[in-house]
Amino acid sequence: MTTLKHKVLNYYKQQTEDRIDAFRDMIAELTSDAANDAKGSAGDKHETALSMMHLEQEKLNHKLGEFIAQKGILDKINPDAKTTKVAVGSLVKANAMYLFVSAALPKITIEGVNIIALSPQSPLGAKLIGMEKGFEFEISGTKYLIEEIQ
């Protein structure tokens, strides 16, 4: 049975894989451009262009590393795991919204349900870890009630 949690996890995994592929393609293209540029150019403009390409490549490698780390977190999540306490991989319904404790990822909508993915290191994520259904807490002046944990 494909649950909402399965769909959320699969969606986020696909999104991170797509971004990893896109960043790898951009890095490969920059590497190719730099190699081609090195064959036919000389002088200060050439050095500046190569430096700019190198800086851009470093930025892309950094972003690629972030997405690989996020994918690593998602890959460790077992969507069939049952738990009574909030942990990494939990899909938590609180205040009629769904929070996916995993990695800081963009908000998504699946089957008309808004999902917010948050890191366990975020203020809200840190507060949620270890809580059980029915627990109430407050963060930044907003009171939350944990209605469901998947």
Side-chain angles (χ1 to χ4, degrees), residues 107-127:
K107 178 180 170 183
I108 61 170
T109 303
I110 294 181
E111 296 178 356
V113 177
N114 291 328
I115 316 284
I116 299 169
L118 51 104
S119 160
Q121 290 80 25
S122 69
L124 183 54
K127 198 80 164 172

Side-chain angles (χ1 to χ4, degrees), residues 67-130:
F67 285 112
I68 288 171
Q70 289 174 340
K71 185 175 180 321
I73 291 166
L74 295 172
D75 285 343
K76 291 178 185 172
I77 294 172
N78 176 359
D80 297 316
K82 302 286 183 223
T83 178
T84 58
K85 293 185 179 186
V86 177
V88 173
S90 293
L91 182 60
V92 180
K93 184 177 181 185
N95 294 18
M97 66 178 170
Y98 282 88
L99 307 165
F100 185 52
V101 183
S102 57
L105 296 162
K107 178 180 170 183
I108 61 170
T109 303
I110 294 181
E111 296 178 356
V113 177
N114 291 328
I115 316 284
I116 299 169
L118 51 104
S119 160
Q121 290 80 25
S122 69
L124 183 54
K127 198 80 164 172
L128 281 170
I129 296 290

Side-chain angles (χ1 to χ4, degrees), residues 4-69:
L4 179 60
K5 184 176 175 179
H6 281 89
K7 290 176 183 176
V8 169
L9 181 60
N10 289 337
Y11 183 89
Y12 278 126
K13 279 184 175 182
Q14 187 61 55
Q15 287 295 103
T16 54
E17 285 173 18
D18 289 349
R19 289 195 174 149
I20 288 168
D21 290 344
F23 277 102
R24 284 187 174 145
D25 289 347
M26 285 188 270
I27 291 166
E29 189 175 315
L30 264 180
T31 303
S32 173
D33 288 350
N36 290 337
D37 198 45
K39 289 178 187 172
S41 297
D44 290 345
K45 284 184 180 178
H46 167 69
E47 293 301 321
T48 302
L50 279 178
S51 292
M52 294 301 286
M53 282 187 214
H54 183 68
L55 286 172
E56 187 63 24
Q57 202 170 15
E58 284 180 14
K59 283 187 216 172
L60 292 173
N61 276 318
H62 179 72
K63 289 301 271 179
L64 175 62
E66 288 177 14
F67 285 112
I68 288 171

